[in-house]
Amino acid sequence: RPSRPQNQSGPSRGQNPLSSRSLSTRRELYEKDFPVYKQPVEVGCFSLDSERRFFNDGRQMRYYVEPDRSPNFDLRDGYKDRFIKRDDSVKEKLDHMLRWILANRSKLSSKGTASSCDLDVDFVTWRGHLTKLLTAPYETREGWLLAVTRFRGTLYISEVETEVARRDRENRTGRHKEMMYWGYKFEQYTCADSVHGRPDPGGVLNTNEAFCTVVQTRLADHRLLFSGEVDCRDKDPNAPAPACYIELKTSAEICTPKQRSNFHRFKLLKWWAQSFLPGVPRVVAGFRDDEGVVVAVETFPISKISHLIKNEHNCWKPTVCMNFCSDFLSFVKHIATEDNPSVVYLLSWEPRRDVTFSVHRDSPYCFLPHWYVEGMTS
Ligand code: A3P
Ligand code: MG
Ligand code: MG
């Protein structure tokens, strides 16, 4: 473990991602100008049905229906008798995205133009993995493991569950399990299946179902292709994706200045990072009491969140998040040099440590399936 004073200035281990075996997550190192982040463009979408089957279309898209002024949604309703939960012990890795890529390859590769990589992107990953990178400089509790494979010039990033995360998942309390349902229940109260439809809070809630957007963008000199689950869109037929999308969230109602401050410092960071990445412009939040009743609904435009938090002392900064992510991706490009679908570079991070890595050949960490490797090679 590197030992150095916290306030050391000047060059330190990990400061230059291109000259080191490790990468620092210290905030001070990333307080630079905001890096180039191109407006994300939706290049496609896909859906997962009630049995988690993949469809190369938007059949699971839902439409936002604005709730009443005092909604009184009971988020506990249906937990016992109208809930089908996705099996989160099944690790899907990048499979759904890879299926989408194979089905839409012609949209991505520029055949005929000179390029060192087939897909014309540097990174393929899930939005959720990038969210973890953006928030790492401020994360004090949960570390992560990211597996990286270079294949035909593109770097694929897929998360590996940590031992701690697995233990937490297997030991969730009844109360925690029920509270995880509340977020999905809020979606059911506020979303309809069709443009002119109404929400159906009496129906069965199945968390296998998902609609995912696939976006392309660039962070500094990193061309990114990633997918993220989208909760719903507004009904205006003219609004183009991803500007029409809405992220739904629930949060404990705010009663004290301390609670407000914590909401700004911790929750808004997560909300901002998750939606800023794919260019989703707003979050609709349902504030609920301890009994799971939504007492207020409020819209947070993503572009206003950085102003909202400016009064918090020592608060998170979007530029730190984006600069760390950019440097992390440079670090990955630098270390993951062997182009081979059966080689995995495992990047591991724990709060208050540097990011380190190890290399694994033909190991259980391999995550690019044969059908993908063959599909891309033929
Ligand atoms: P909330 O967002 O209201 O907490 P998302 O908002 O990302 O679309 O996720 C929908 C819901 O899934 C969440 O609602 C929460 O209930 C549940 N959920 C998602 N990620 C979770 C996690 N890491 N731990 C616990 N619950 C999670
Ligand atoms: Mg969601
Ligand atoms: Mg949501």
Side-chain angles (χ1 to χ4, degrees):
R1 182 178 180 188
S3 58
R4 62 162 179 271
Q6 279 301 297
N7 59 356
Q8 178 188 320
S9 59
S12 68
R13 256 187 83 190
Q15 188 162 11
N16 180 357
L18 301 186
S19 66
S20 184
R21 305 271 304 166
S22 67
L23 179 70
S24 173
T25 57
R26 287 170 56 208
R27 297 161 200 178
E28 320 83 87
L29 302 175
Y30 303 99
E31 298 210 1
K32 305 178 277 189
D33 290 344
F34 201 85
V36 169
Y37 191 64
K38 275 185 54 186
Q39 184 66 47
V41 174
E42 181 176 77
V43 291
C45 64
F46 60 85
S47 294
L48 304 172
D49 75 357
S50 59
E51 293 169 55
R52 209 68 185 166
R53 288 176 301 208
F54 173 93
F55 292 90
N56 184 28
D57 57 42
R59 67 183 65 192
Q60 294 289 350
M61 166 84 81
R62 291 180 300 175
Y63 297 83
Y64 179 64
V65 178
E66 196 165 346
D68 295 344
R69 225 161 234 299
S70 52
N72 273 313
F73 298 144
D74 176 7
L75 301 181
R76 288 172 144 171
D77 180 52
Y79 178 64
K80 287 271 147 65
D81 55 321
R82 301 194 313 282
F83 179 31
I84 298 171
K85 191 187 154 299
R86 178 171 78 88
D87 181 353
D88 53 10
S89 69
V90 176
K91 297 303 166 197
E92 302 174 323
K93 298 174 270 193
L94 295 185
D95 289 5
H96 298 307
M97 264 217 86
L98 302 181
R99 256 182 234 295
W100 181 90
I101 290 172
L102 275 189
N104 297 275
R105 230 177 122 182
S106 55
K107 286 192 202 174
L108 296 169
S109 20
S110 56
K111 288 207 184 73
T113 61
S115 170
S116 61
C117 80
D118 287 19
L119 289 179
D120 282 331
V121 299
D122 299 309
F123 292 94
V124 167
T125 191
W126 281 110
R127 176 269 310 273
H129 302 356
L130 295 173
T131 304
K132 290 195 176 184
L133 292 173
L134 260 62
T135 57
Y138 300 104
E139 179 63 48
T140 56
R141 293 194 296 218
E142 289 168 16
W144 38 250
L145 287 170
L146 294 170
V148 176
T149 290
R150 187 187 283 267
F151 174 55
R152 295 187 146 233
T154 295
L155 292 145
Y156 295 81
I157 306 179
S158 178
E159 188 173 32
V160 174
E161 187 172 48
T162 63
E163 281 302 308
V164 172
R166 184 177 60 80
R167 263 205 307 278
D168 287 352
R169 177 169 57 73
E170 288 170 351
N171 298 316
R172 278 180 198 136
T173 62
R175 167 83 178 169
H176 187 193
K177 285 183 192 162
E178 182 177 345
M179 288 179 75
M180 286 176 66
Y181 168 81
W182 292 359
Y184 297 110
K185 188 65 192 177
F186 180 62
E187 297 176 5
Q188 198 192 36
Y189 277 111
T190 52
C191 296
D193 289 342
S194 59
V195 190
H196 302 293
R198 299 291 308 170
D200 176 23
V204 172
L205 195 161
N206 186 325
T207 56
N208 287 296
E209 295 174 10
F211 167 84
C212 296
T213 180
V214 183
V215 303
Q216 222 170 340
T217 184
R218 182 163 60 85
L219 170 59
D221 60 347
H222 310 300
R223 297 168 298 171
L224 315 178
L225 178 72
F226 60 85
S227 175
E229 194 253 349
V230 169
D231 293 333
C232 60
R233 60 162 293 158
D234 67 28
K235 289 191 249 177
D236 177 359
N238 298 313
C244 61
Y245 292 146
I246 299 171
E247 172 60 43
L248 301 171
K249 290 288 177 198
T250 59
S251 198
E253 74 179 306
I254 294 164
C255 304
T256 68
K258 179 75 183 164
Q259 287 169 344
R260 174 164 309 274
S261 174
N262 283 338
F263 173 75
H264 286 161
R265 299 172 67 85
F266 305 111
K267 211 136 231 197
L268 284 184
L269 165 60
K270 300 267 162 89
W271 292 6
W272 172 84
Q274 182 188 28
S275 289
F276 179 77
L277 280 164
V280 170
R282 57 198 195 272
V283 173
V284 169
F287 291 95
R288 49 95 189 146
D289 63 20
D290 288 341
E291 269 77 60
V293 175
V294 173
V295 293
V297 174
E298 195 178 333
T299 299
F300 292 88
I302 293 302
S303 61
K304 296 207 173 136
I305 286 182
S306 59
H307 309 299
L308 262 181
I309 60 161
K310 284 232 164 79
N311 291 329
E312 297 296 339
H313 180 64
N314 229 332
C315 202
W316 59 274
K317 294 188 178 80
T319 196
V320 169
C321 303
M322 298 306 282
N323 280 312
F324 171 71
C325 185
S326 176
D327 281 7
F328 176 89
L329 298 176
S330 299
F331 182 64
V332 168
K333 275 181 180 169
H334 176 70
I335 64 165
T337 48
E338 186 176 339
D339 199 298
N340 184 339
S342 51
V343 170
V344 164
Y345 297 84
L346 188 66
L347 288 105
S348 87
W349 179 70
E350 289 297 331
R352 290 170 298 277
R353 307 267 177 115
D354 289 353
V355 180
T356 58
F357 72 96
S358 50
V359 190
H360 306 261
R361 225 164 267 276
D362 302 308
S363 79
Y365 292 121
C366 280
F367 62 89
L368 287 184
H370 285 115
W371 54 258
Y372 182 72
V373 172
E374 273 143 35
M376 290 295 282
T377 312
S378 59

